[in-house]
Amino acid sequence: MRSELAARLGENVPRYTSYPSTPHFHRGIDAVVYRGWLEALEGGGEISLYLHIPYCDRLCWFCACHTKHTRHYAPVAAYLQSLHAEIATVGSLVSGKGRVRAVHFGGGSPTMLKPQHLVTLGTALRDNFDFLDDAKISVEIDPNDMDGARLDALAEIGMTRASLGVQDFDPKVQRAINREQSFLQTKAVVDGVRSRGVDSVNLDLLYGLPHQTSESVRSTVAQALTLEPDRIALFGYAHVPWFKKHQTMIDEAWLPGPTERFAQSQLAARAIEDKGYESIGLDHFARPGDALAIAARTGALHRNFQGYTDDRCETLIGLGPSSIGRFPEGYVQNMPSTGEYRRMVEEGKLAAVRGIAFSDDDRVRGWIIERLMCDFAFSAIDLVESFGKAGQRLLRLASSLALKDPARLLELQGDRFVVPAENRPFVRSIAVKFDKYFEGGTARHSAAV
């Protein structure tokens, strides 16, 4: 029955790392609006930073990130000069208004930066922003980039969490996605960061990749668990060749169908949970004492463009081309083109070119979707008390869904709307029912399961 439901709900829907989702951003939110939002930040608050490195020294064919392949380091070094300029501009507008609680380095491949450039980038952030003493610094790591000098540089900038891309350890799968990386390489990096005092390691695994089978997924998960990661992110491969042309290098005939994808996801989840990890939201797992697991148990879990997080900051500032920021007023995104981004920031301008301002309706729908994605439930009382008449309108929609859906994707239990445990893998298809933009939109998304 559940495999049949997986096939029926194999529709393409947003990942809901934001609401409204990025296809609905528009050019009405520009640098002028962004400056106003930065200047409106209140003193004494906490903020998070995201830094985007839009380069890789090889292009993984499964990847849907905003990045480009380069064989030479000169473009990367030139880009870093522009990134420093943006840090200085934004920092001057934020000075005295917010203290940094968390920083996330993403890409692309942040670890392709030379060690001295990693250190100067970390120094620039601390010179231009006010950091809390216990600020968390997380870095996405490609094990193929790593050596002792880079490990030392990451320790010097204060990295507290290392997130390693694994995907799959099967050589056939790795060749099909152009991501050859041995288990021993991965282990060496895990050991290296831990020996330098990093106490949190996350591994990213994928299911639904070309040539993957349930058995190959089982083997990859078993090997990953021997590294004793603190967290595991288990994502479904998003095949979106209309969006990322390099994915055309993957023959669709190699991809598992919806039923097999579902089987792979469930097998991997069970294997991880059997080792004592707690399930976090749709696709994350953490040891019981990890901050993410604690946040999930206490209702303090959130979701942003990096996935599930215990980061409670309402303000996230994105730095680098295509980076997205979140403010109390809405979302803002930088110019995606690296060349145009560089021109803008080197002239002392802000690079924002699109985004969306929240309406009251967006706020209540966004709250429902986030709670469904994080808790698989939301309280009717909290909905109405927090959002008033707007909450009451959505309460009627939720009640109708709970009463009329024969599949019982959403149930009313007391004053709470709850996704039954057996239907949690399909939560994105439940969240989409509260998305007012989805039906009339033209955007194409990834598979729900």
Side-chain angles (χ1 to χ4, degrees):
M1 174 62 182
R2 294 181 69 195
S3 62
E4 294 174 5
L5 191 57
R8 182 168 70 84
L9 295 180
E11 60 185 336
N12 290 351
V13 295
R15 292 185 62 235
Y16 291 118
T17 51
S18 72
Y19 182 81
S21 53
T22 55
H24 306 291
F25 290 7
H26 57 81
R27 294 191 176 276
I29 306 299
D30 57 12
V32 174
V33 175
Y34 182 31
R35 180 178 291 271
W37 289 357
L38 287 168
E39 292 176 340
L41 290 174
E42 297 181 357
E46 295 182 359
I47 62 176
S48 295
L49 304 175
Y50 171 77
L51 280 82
H52 190 69
I53 307 300
Y55 292 97
C56 295
D57 44 18
R58 64 172 174 175
L59 193 59
C60 302
W61 295 335
F62 69 88
C63 181
C65 298
H66 179 78
T67 187
K68 61 179 67 175
H69 173 240
T70 180
R71 295 179 182 273
H72 306 287
Y73 194 75
V76 181
Y79 163 70
L80 289 174
Q81 294 179 353
S82 304
L83 183 58
H84 279 267
E86 186 188 17
I87 290 170
T89 298
V90 174
S92 68
L93 295 171
V94 176
S95 179
K97 296 180 179 179
R99 306 182 71 189
V100 175
R101 164 63 60 188
V103 182
H104 187 93
F105 290 81
S109 298
T111 49
M112 77 172 292
L113 300 187
K114 292 183 177 180
Q116 65 267 32
H117 289 155
L118 284 167
V119 173
T120 55
L121 191 55
T123 300
L125 290 174
R126 293 183 183 274
D127 286 347
N128 287 278
F129 294 93
D130 184 15
F131 274 61
L132 291 163
D133 291 340
D134 59 348
K136 303 298 183 183
I137 313 293
S138 60
V139 183
E140 295 175 9
I141 292 177
D142 179 351
N144 287 280
D145 292 332
M146 299 307 293
D147 54 27
R150 283 184 171 86
L151 288 167
D152 290 341
L154 292 175
E156 187 170 343
I157 69 171
M159 181 176 70
T160 60
R161 175 168 299 116
S163 184
L164 281 69
V166 171
Q167 325 322 335
D168 191 288
F169 285 122
D170 187 297
K172 184 177 181 180
V173 176
Q174 291 182 352
R175 287 192 295 271
I177 61 175
N178 198 37
R179 177 66 179 243
E180 295 187 56
Q181 171 185 319
S182 72
F183 171 79
L184 291 178
Q185 279 179 293
T186 305
K187 183 179 187 302
V189 176
V190 171
D191 293 343
V193 297
R194 284 180 168 153
S195 70
R196 288 164 174 81
V198 175
D199 59 4
S200 181
V201 173
N202 172 79
L203 300 183
D204 287 345
L205 307 179
L206 284 178
Y207 63 88
L209 288 170
H211 301 308
Q212 267 187 328
T213 64
S214 292
E215 187 53 43
S216 72
V217 169
R218 187 195 311 275
S219 176
T220 287
V221 170
Q223 291 178 81
L225 288 168
T226 66
L227 301 177
E228 300 183 342
D230 302 276
R231 299 179 183 180
I232 295 176
L234 176 67
F235 299 123
Y237 165 57
H239 190 62
V240 288
W242 59 87
F243 178 57
K244 291 297 178 181
K245 296 301 183 185
H246 57 261
Q247 289 191 353
T248 59
M249 300 295 291
I250 294 176
D251 189 333
E252 293 187 2
W254 300 343
L255 298 174
T259 301
E260 174 62 16
R261 279 176 64 100
F262 180 73
Q264 291 176 8
S265 71
Q266 296 305 287
L267 181 153
R270 286 194 298 271
I272 296 168
E273 290 170 346
D274 285 348
K275 289 295 184 179
Y277 289 80
E278 294 187 4
S279 178
I280 311 296
L282 179 63
D283 49 23
H284 283 49
F285 302 84
R287 293 186 176 280
D290 186 272
L292 200 64
I294 295 170
R297 291 197 299 270
T298 58
L301 189 65
H302 296 285
R303 188 163 171 84
N304 63 21
F305 292 98
Q306 285 74 59
Y308 289 106
T309 178
D310 59 322
D311 182 358
R312 61 180 181 269
C313 297
E314 190 174 13
T315 298
L316 168 66
I317 296 175
L319 300 163
S322 82
S323 289
I324 298 174
R326 187 192 192 282
F327 291 80
E329 298 88 347
Y331 291 108
V332 61
Q333 185 172 24
N334 275 353
M335 164 62 69
S337 165
T338 303
E340 280 299 298
Y341 161 85
R342 291 193 59 201
R343 180 188 62 78
M344 295 169 76
V345 298
E346 287 175 8
E347 292 176 357
K349 299 176 181 177
L350 296 172
V353 293
R354 63 195 293 261
I356 194 165
F358 297 141
S359 67
D360 289 344
D361 187 64
D362 290 336
R363 295 179 194 279
V364 63
R365 290 175 184 268
W367 179 85
I368 289 173
I369 289 171
E370 184 175 39
R371 296 305 1 121
L372 285 172
M373 294 296 297
C374 292
D375 304 333
F376 301 107
F378 63 92
S379 163
I381 293 174
D382 289 346
L383 176 64
V384 174
E385 288 184 348
S386 299
F387 299 100
K389 291 183 179 179
Q392 291 176 346
R393 289 194 296 272
L394 270 296
L395 178 60
R396 289 192 288 271
L397 172 60
S399 299
S400 177
L401 289 172
L403 293 173
K404 296 181 180 179
D405 184 4
R408 294 175 51 253
L409 296 181
L410 190 67
E411 293 182 343
L412 181 58
Q413 299 178 5
D415 79 313
R416 288 167 57 81
F417 291 93
V418 178
V419 179
E422 66 270 18
N423 289 331
R424 289 181 176 182
F426 317 113
V427 68
R428 287 169 59 196
S429 292
I430 302 168
V432 80
K433 305 298 183 183
F434 295 93
D435 185 345
K436 73 173 181 181
Y437 298 92
F438 183 76
E439 288 297 332
T442 58
R444 300 174 72 180
H445 303 282
S446 59
V449 178

